[in-house]
Amino acid sequence: MELRQFCSQSRVVIVAGKGGVGKTTVTAALALAATRAGLSALICEVEGKSGLAAAFGSDALEYDELHLDDRLTARTLAPDDAMVDYLESHGMKRFSHRLAKSGALDVVATAVPGMKDILVLGKIKSLEQLPAADLIVVDAPAAGHAITFLLAAQGLLDAIRVGPIRKQATEVVEMLTDATRCQVMLVTLPEETPVNELIETAFAVEDRAGVALGPVVVNGCMAPLRDQPDSITSLMAAGFSLTTSTQAIEAVAFRSSRHAMQEIQIARLAEQLPLPQIHLPQLLTAAIGRAELNKLADAMAHQIELLQ
Amino acid sequence: MTAFANLATTREIIVCCGTGGVGKTTTAAVLAIEAARRGRRAVVVTIDPAKRLADALGLDALSDEPKLIDQQTWNIFDRDPARSGLAQGTLSALMLDTKSTFDKLVHEHAPDEPAADRILDNRFYRNISGALGGTQEYMAMEKLHELHTSGEFDLIVIDTPPSRHALDFLDAPERLMRLLDNRMFRLLMMPTKTYLKLAGAALQALLRTVSRVVGREVVDDAIAFFQAFEGMEQGFRDRAAKVQELIDDPATAFVLVTTPRRDAVDEATYFAQRLESNGLQVAGLIVNRIHPEFGSESPESLRALAHGNAAILNLADFREIAIRERETLETLTARIPSDAVGYVPLLDEDVHNIATLATVATHLF
């Protein structure tokens, strides 16, 4: 599929997955890939703690949009900010700060299940309507919470019968359940437990929240070596020392065993979840910076083009 | 005896903290199993909704009450003959159910059954028990208190939620009290006429606003909750103080779990700072998923030598990872000095069963 077409399928893509699978880097890679197709992209951080800003060499993200790169901006969507924003834009400016300061906001948010989630999703919806960018990529809360997050609007419709929040929830449900407006991209690692959890999350997102799933991203894939040397002897014959040759063969074996283990999990995922997969390489670095994000964006763009 | 074996045999509570995907749950299980192997009655508590611990222990579902795990299931840590045949203790596990723990607390503090039921049926309460930030952490500490005072266990190992909020339990007692102390709602708890007089126009306007946004029902529920809660408050407050004592007790140990990646190490550092600002110490540091070293040659010289040989370039890449990881770990141990530091290599298989837990154990004990 053409990259630009892929990134235009829905204006909002919510990236979800359990902690530690690289949700934030996938979010950044997708947004960067979109900008390469000539689109503008906005990254929204819901939990607001990620190393995204640091990876771009930028200051910490704030509620106001921050410019990261050509056609690429990012912002946080912390629930408290979203709540104040909501009150202000609904003619309650006078109360918003008082509510926030008195702690009454906590009480109100507690009184209404999913209130904070709905405010965040409502804000995403208003960014979508503007539209704030050609593609809005949302770095969702970690796994278990992602489902609660996506179900918040429906839960709220059951709890609240009238008023502006109900209207907000209705509009959010409309957006979430319309595949041409919003999709969820699930991220996992090619390992046993993350794959199990991804499968559970996938069914919950589709069946319970009614949100369309885009391709699944398998992050941290170790590519096999294309050119496998035979043995220590052949390396030594090529002029490498015994130590280097031995270590090189050990490293090759290590890589092959990791790869084989991952292949089993990738195959199992394909069998249990009939969704296209995007494989991103494991980066052999201890930290993610701009160069690494570029590599991931390249890989993402390439894999998208391979999709049917 | 290794430092971790020492922790597992001498402490009464071990709290495992760390960001997601670093192997916190398996670490908690390994520590509890080791304590059981050394003759203690150990229980491992997970508040991770992903049920990973249940998977690791081969349980279909963990219940909110401690469930004794068959010794046959866990006592296979016998790779090292010197450590085999130790098992005299017991191992139990439970998955925290925030709501039922909270319900129990309400029953305990309510003056009578009808009062308890008024609260349990209140919609506002049902939301608090499920959704209030910090409630889960508070109930984890409450469960800890319950298990500790039951006297049934020598060691309680607790796994925390996989996020920055994991440390909310440190503030959880205070946070819940703050909500219950909310000035606006304290006014609402007063008999109607007094409240109207005191509350004044400003508060009423505020309430009207809230009602307009979320509906009158929601506000009524909240008021009913705070009215029903009156009288139970002192009990909650006393309990919060006891929970706080437990956190501060020298028999409680905090173990930080991380991987050698920079983001995980940054999170671990943040956790350590939070603990420190609460006057608590890091008793142990466990680093999981460390790549092998593959010798000591520099990646640059390997690349210069490689002449495009894929195996040598691959070796250079792995050397690069090893060097970066070592640098990251040096930063970590410099930032977080700890008597007990454990290094667990990246294993050939995922840690999701008892056999792999045993492998992890060989690196810690």
Side-chain angles (χ1 to χ4, degrees), chain B residues 230-276:
Chain B
E230 206 176 2
M232 288 176 52
E233 194 201 327
Q234 193 55 41
F236 267 80
R237 197 178 295 279
D238 294 346
R239 180 59 66 87
K242 288 212 178 85
V243 167
Q244 190 61 51
E245 276 170 32
L246 209 55
I247 296 176
D248 297 334
D249 195 299
T252 300
F254 291 89
V255 170
L256 285 184
V257 187
T258 184
T259 65
R261 290 179 55 96
R262 197 185 65 184
D263 48 354
V265 163
D266 287 346
E267 280 297 291
T269 309
Y270 167 81
F271 280 28
Q273 286 163 351
R274 277 287 306 272
L275 287 172
E276 202 184 321

Side-chain angles (χ1 to χ4, degrees), chain B residues 56-346:
Chain B
L57 294 170
L59 291 174
D60 294 333
L62 291 180
S63 92
D64 187 43
E65 291 304 316
K67 185 175 165 187
L68 197 64
I69 296 167
D70 185 5
Q71 190 166 314
Q72 300 286 329
T73 311
W74 56 266
N75 190 26
I76 57 154
F77 280 28
D78 52 4
R79 295 199 176 183
D80 171 7
R83 293 168 59 269
S84 67
L86 276 175
Q88 299 293 327
T90 60
L91 177 72
S92 305
L94 71 89
M95 172 96 81
L96 183 77
D97 175 348
T98 304
K99 189 175 177 331
S100 58
T101 306
F102 209 150
D103 288 357
K104 214 177 191 174
L105 200 59
V106 168
H107 273 295
E108 207 173 302
H109 293 299
D112 50 41
E113 277 302 301
D117 291 342
R118 264 203 307 282
I119 291 189
L120 298 180
D121 291 342
N122 184 281
R123 204 163 60 168
F124 181 80
Y125 167 75
R126 293 207 301 268
N127 300 334
I128 278 200
S129 55
L132 175 64
T135 305
Q136 194 186 37
E137 288 76 13
Y138 182 71
M139 289 308 137
M141 297 319 279
E142 172 58 34
K143 196 76 194 174
L144 201 56
H145 178 263
E146 183 192 316
L147 293 169
H148 191 252
T149 45
S150 77
E152 286 171 36
F153 301 101
D154 305 315
L155 175 69
I156 305 158
V157 185
I158 187 161
D159 172 30
T160 55
S163 74
R164 209 159 242 242
H165 307 301
L167 284 181
D168 280 356
F169 69 82
L170 294 171
D171 308 325
E174 196 198 319
R175 202 170 157 152
L176 187 72
M177 291 321 297
R178 205 167 51 224
L179 174 85
L180 299 175
D181 256 355
N182 188 281
R183 206 165 54 89
M184 179 172 119
F185 282 84
R186 296 215 65 80
L187 287 171
L188 298 180
M189 279 163 63
M190 293 178 187
T192 318
K193 278 182 187 160
T194 329
Y195 132 67
L196 281 177
K197 218 183 286 169
L198 279 176
L203 177 61
Q204 288 183 50
L206 195 64
L207 271 183
R208 267 202 309 277
T209 307
V210 173
S211 302
R212 220 170 70 214
V213 178
V214 298
R216 181 72 214 174
E217 278 173 41
V218 173
V219 175
D220 289 346
D221 277 341
I223 293 173
F225 169 80
F226 282 96
Q227 279 166 352
F229 193 76
E230 206 176 2
M232 288 176 52
E233 194 201 327
Q234 193 55 41
F236 267 80
R237 197 178 295 279
D238 294 346
R239 180 59 66 87
K242 288 212 178 85
V243 167
Q244 190 61 51
E245 276 170 32
L246 209 55
I247 296 176
D248 297 334
D249 195 299
T252 300
F254 291 89
V255 170
L256 285 184
V257 187
T258 184
T259 65
R261 290 179 55 96
R262 197 185 65 184
D263 48 354
V265 163
D266 287 346
E267 280 297 291
T269 309
Y270 167 81
F271 280 28
Q273 286 163 351
R274 277 287 306 272
L275 287 172
E276 202 184 321
S277 65
N278 281 270
L280 302 166
Q281 271 186 340
V282 177
L285 190 60
I286 292 177
V287 187
N288 286 321
R289 307 175 67 97
I290 301 176
H291 279 87
E293 285 278 336
F294 296 115
S296 57
E297 285 182 77
S298 85
E300 295 75 20
S301 65
L302 285 169
R303 285 191 187 113
L305 282 173
H307 293 296
N309 183 297
I312 303 295
L313 289 173
N314 179 57
L315 176 62
D317 284 346
F318 279 113
R319 282 293 303 138
E320 180 120 29
I321 297 182
I323 290 166
R324 297 262 185 112
E325 286 190 352
R326 185 180 287 178
E327 284 168 5
T328 310
L329 291 181
E330 275 166 15
T331 315
L332 177 74
T333 46
R335 282 186 198 164
I336 311 173
S338 169
D339 296 338
V341 185
Y343 298 102
V344 182
L346 185 61

Side-chain angles (χ1 to χ4, degrees), chain A residues 147 186 196-211 213 271-275:
Chain A
I147 299 167
L186 293 173
N196 290 345
E197 290 181 2
L198 176 109
I199 294 167
E200 271 176 41
T201 310
F203 286 109
V205 166
E206 237 177 4
D207 299 346
R208 290 174 57 205
V211 186
L213 289 170
E271 192 186 298
Q272 296 185 21
L273 194 67
L275 283 175

Side-chain angles (χ1 to χ4, degrees), chain A residues 197-306:
Chain A
E197 290 181 2
L198 176 109
I199 294 167
E200 271 176 41
T201 310
F203 286 109
V205 166
E206 237 177 4
D207 299 346
R208 290 174 57 205
V211 186
L213 289 170
V216 171
V217 177
V218 184
N219 199 15
C221 296
M222 191 163 260
L225 283 188
R226 255 171 278 164
D227 172 22
Q228 297 258 1
D230 319 325
S231 62
I232 298 176
T233 9
S234 69
L235 284 174
M236 288 178 71
F240 299 105
S241 76
L242 173 62
T243 323
T244 305
S245 305
T246 311
Q247 282 156 357
I249 294 302
E250 276 169 17
V252 168
F254 180 80
R255 189 181 188 115
S256 317
S257 84
R258 299 294 306 172
H259 173 68
M261 211 177 93
Q262 294 187 342
E263 284 297 298
I264 294 171
Q265 298 306 330
I266 288 171
R268 198 167 61 88
L269 176 62
E271 192 186 298
Q272 296 185 21
L273 194 67
L275 283 175
Q277 297 181 358
I278 290 178
H279 296 174
L280 294 184
Q282 177 175 1
L283 295 177
L284 302 179
T285 52
I288 301 281
R290 189 54 216 257
E292 287 73 24
L293 288 180
N294 279 338
K295 266 188 215 165
L296 288 174
D298 287 341
M300 174 80 85
H302 177 67
Q303 292 265 315
I304 286 170
E305 273 154 14
L306 292 178

